[in-house]
Amino acid sequence: MNRRHIRVLLVEDNPDHAELIRRSLEPKADLISLAVARNLGEARDSLSQSPADVALIDLKLPDGSGIELLPPAGEPASYPIVILTAEGDQKVAVEAMRAGALNYVVKSSETFADMPRIVEATLREWGHVVERRRAEEMLQASEAHFRSLIENAHDVIITVDEEGQLDYTSPAISRVLGYTPTERVGTNYFELIHPEDRAEVIRKVHEAFFEPGVVQLVEYRVRHKDGSIRILESVGSSPPRASDRLPRVVLNSRDVTDRKQLEDQLRHSQKWEVIGALAGGIANEFNNMLTPILGFAGLALEESAAGSKERKRLQHILTAANRAQELAEQLLAFSRQSEPRRVPVEMRSSIEEALRFLRPTLPRTIEIRSRIEVEHDVVMADPDQIHQVLINLCTDAHHSMPDGGVLEVVLDEVGSAAELAERSRLHDDVYLRLTVRDTGRGMDSATKERALKPFSNATESEQMTGLGLAVTHGIVVSHGGDLAVDSEPGKGTTVHVYLPLADREL
């Protein structure tokens, strides 16, 4: 211990006991100074004038109990206190230690003589107490600091056991997944994960669990409280095991849903730009080759004799060339090399005209139903391309019902945030929604994903070029809208087309 002057306060009303203690400390006078108080009042006066390094306090004093000099409950003592007690009062002395005293000494001639050693031992023990208290304060400050970082972190931080049981979730879970910080505690986190991703997440958690300190990275889909799907990127690790704590895996998860959607849109856009440029180039070359075929075949047809074999063959040539030209026009429309002309188009009239055109071409086993649920139905669009959208969708619906069924066309208005939330291309407030629904064979998820890709024949019909839905999608997007497909095997297909509603004054 440091060799410094030690101030000892003795609170003792028995003058004989006080004298014996003074004599025992006298040989250490260069190191220890003694102040004596005979009651609680004198002790308080002495402590107010000069703090003590060690206080030796008799348990029983004329004006009360020495315990009254201990700090209030819950407050740490600022100096070590040793309780002096008579034989048989040890139980009370132990209670005094629980109240804040560092130790107690039973009064006797031996303990009075041994007081220098008791004082020095008390100071050594007090030094350990102070160091431990300082360490605890630093630990508490550190824990408070890191808890503050976790509580205010942008990422979601959770802890799970080997089975996925949650015992902590940070406040960020409210923003990312819609749950309060305590709402999911005690439940299984794996249940929120998309079934297709669950096995991989469980494997990563187990690897982190059994390899403390090794960081695991996993990306997966998880269900939001509102039922929507979010994509999380999680870093998982198991801290070094403490013997008194159950092992846990800490998952630090970041919501990357928006980033993934942007990446997908960018890849999609780049892919379509390349395909569109290729399709446009092919269409132009195709038209260049078809022009002389159509021209010379037409001249030859005019010069051929009516009813001759040559005339019939020329008619077949012209029919095939005209079909090829129609395909080239679809390719050009798909490539979107020219801006559509924009004029006010009444969707009601366009739907009626398209259905009149289609009715004679459809088998009687297909029932056509139409329903217009809006008063204002004007969009700024290219009327020919809107007509093509309607024809393409209805034709696809027809081909998906080879044995007959119901073809339904509905026009209504949508403008709620919830309805448009999943359509990232939509930015206006109000849209017309054109719905074409059939009761055909429908599509599985893989076929539905391919449906919007060019030259992909989703309905496996020889009568289709594989461009219908891709062209429709391109036209709709070029008009500032979007397209969504909802389909299940055996339950038909529904296509929603969203187009910005024109100013009602038009």
Side-chain angles (χ1 to χ4, degrees), residues 116-397:
R117 186 196 64 79
I118 292 173
V119 169
E120 292 183 349
T122 298
L123 285 172
R124 281 196 299 272
E125 186 175 352
W126 180 250
H128 298 322
V129 170
V130 171
E131 286 299 319
R132 186 166 60 249
R133 185 185 296 170
R134 185 179 294 115
E136 289 174 352
E137 290 173 351
M138 292 176 63
L139 178 60
Q140 290 173 357
S142 178
E143 288 179 347
H145 173 68
F146 283 106
R147 178 168 291 276
S148 176
L149 291 178
I150 291 173
E151 300 282 321
N152 295 286
H154 185 76
D155 296 347
V156 179
I157 299 172
I158 66 172
T159 58
V160 297
D161 64 12
E162 182 184 359
E163 301 302 322
Q165 201 79 353
L166 277 164
D167 55 15
Y168 173 79
T169 62
S170 67
I173 195 171
S174 300
R175 177 182 52 78
V176 176
L177 296 179
Y179 298 99
T180 65
T182 59
E183 190 172 353
R184 295 298 303 184
V185 171
T187 66
N188 194 290
Y189 181 60
F190 297 153
E191 294 175 355
L192 295 179
I193 298 172
H194 193 286
E196 294 177 3
D197 302 336
R198 192 173 296 153
E200 177 66 9
V201 176
I202 292 174
R203 184 178 71 82
K204 291 288 189 178
V205 167
H206 285 178
E207 288 180 1
F209 189 86
F210 291 108
E211 299 181 40
V214 177
V215 176
Q216 303 291 339
L217 178 64
V218 61
E219 184 179 284
Y220 56 95
R221 291 163 291 178
V222 65
R223 189 175 67 252
H224 191 280
K225 187 177 181 178
D226 64 10
S228 63
I229 296 297
R230 308 300 295 174
I231 303 174
L232 298 187
E233 185 180 76
S234 293
V235 176
S237 62
S238 181
R241 308 281 169 85
S243 59
D244 60 338
R245 294 184 180 178
L246 294 174
R248 289 289 184 270
V249 171
V250 179
L251 287 176
N252 190 320
S253 305
R254 176 164 298 177
D255 186 353
V256 296
T257 307
D258 294 340
R259 188 189 78 194
K260 299 297 291 186
Q261 289 177 345
L262 287 173
E263 290 174 354
D264 290 343
Q265 289 176 11
L266 179 60
R267 284 194 295 269
H268 185 75
S269 175
Q270 291 172 337
K271 178 182 68 177
W272 278 63
E273 284 179 7
V274 172
I275 294 175
L278 177 63
I282 293 173
N284 283 322
E285 291 298 324
F286 210 28
N287 272 328
N288 290 338
M289 290 185 287
L290 286 171
T291 299
I293 294 174
L294 287 167
F296 287 115
L299 290 173
L301 184 65
E302 291 177 1
E303 296 173 356
S304 63
S308 66
K309 290 182 179 180
E310 288 77 9
R311 188 175 184 85
K312 290 181 179 179
R313 289 168 180 167
L314 287 168
Q315 285 175 335
H316 285 308
I317 292 172
L318 282 171
T319 299
N322 282 322
R323 287 178 180 172
Q325 192 173 50
E326 289 176 3
L327 175 58
E329 289 174 358
Q330 288 192 47
L331 283 167
L332 283 171
F334 168 72
S335 68
R336 303 192 301 277
Q337 289 186 339
S338 61
E339 284 293 320
R341 61 191 179 98
R342 301 294 176 90
V343 297
V345 175
E346 293 183 353
M347 289 298 296
R348 181 194 300 269
S349 300
S350 296
I351 292 171
E352 292 173 351
E353 180 183 352
L355 295 182
R356 280 197 304 269
F357 175 81
L358 281 167
R359 178 68 274 184
T361 68
L362 299 181
R364 293 185 177 181
T365 53
I366 292 180
E367 177 187 354
I368 298 178
R369 300 174 185 172
S370 64
R371 192 168 73 252
I372 309 298
E373 299 181 348
V374 293
E375 294 183 3
H376 182 60
D377 63 343
V378 178
V379 296
M380 296 300 295
D382 184 319
D384 293 335
Q385 292 192 347
I386 292 299
H387 180 78
Q388 186 177 4
V389 165
L390 288 162
I391 296 299
N392 286 353
L393 292 178
C394 292
T395 301
D396 285 353

Side-chain angles (χ1 to χ4, degrees), residues 2-145:
N2 295 329
R3 305 298 290 181
R4 63 180 183 83
H5 199 75
I6 301 168
R7 182 175 184 273
V8 176
L9 172 63
L10 172 63
V11 186
E12 173 61 72
D13 64 322
N14 188 319
D16 294 336
H17 292 173
E19 179 61 20
L20 290 172
I21 292 173
R22 187 192 65 77
R23 290 179 182 179
S24 70
L25 293 175
E26 192 172 18
K28 299 273 190 175
D30 61 329
L31 182 64
I32 300 174
S33 63
L34 181 67
V36 180
R38 293 168 297 179
N39 52 51
L40 294 176
E42 291 182 6
R44 290 189 178 103
D45 288 342
S46 177
L47 289 171
S48 66
Q49 294 173 13
S50 179
D53 294 313
V54 179
L56 307 173
I57 303 174
D58 190 7
L59 189 60
K60 295 180 179 179
L61 296 166
D63 52 351
S65 170
I67 293 178
E68 295 180 39
L69 293 175
L70 294 173
E75 290 187 15
S78 56
Y79 51 86
I81 297 172
V82 178
I83 295 295
L84 304 178
T85 179
E87 192 72 37
D89 289 339
Q90 289 94 329
K91 184 177 180 181
V92 179
V94 170
E95 291 299 323
M97 291 182 63
R98 290 176 179 169
L102 186 64
N103 206 344
Y104 76 93
V105 173
V106 178
K107 291 180 180 181
S108 68
S109 57
E110 290 81 5
T111 56
F112 292 154
D114 197 31
M115 199 54 68
R117 186 196 64 79
I118 292 173
V119 169
E120 292 183 349
T122 298
L123 285 172
R124 281 196 299 272
E125 186 175 352
W126 180 250
H128 298 322
V129 170
V130 171
E131 286 299 319
R132 186 166 60 249
R133 185 185 296 170
R134 185 179 294 115
E136 289 174 352
E137 290 173 351
M138 292 176 63
L139 178 60
Q140 290 173 357
S142 178
E143 288 179 347
H145 173 68

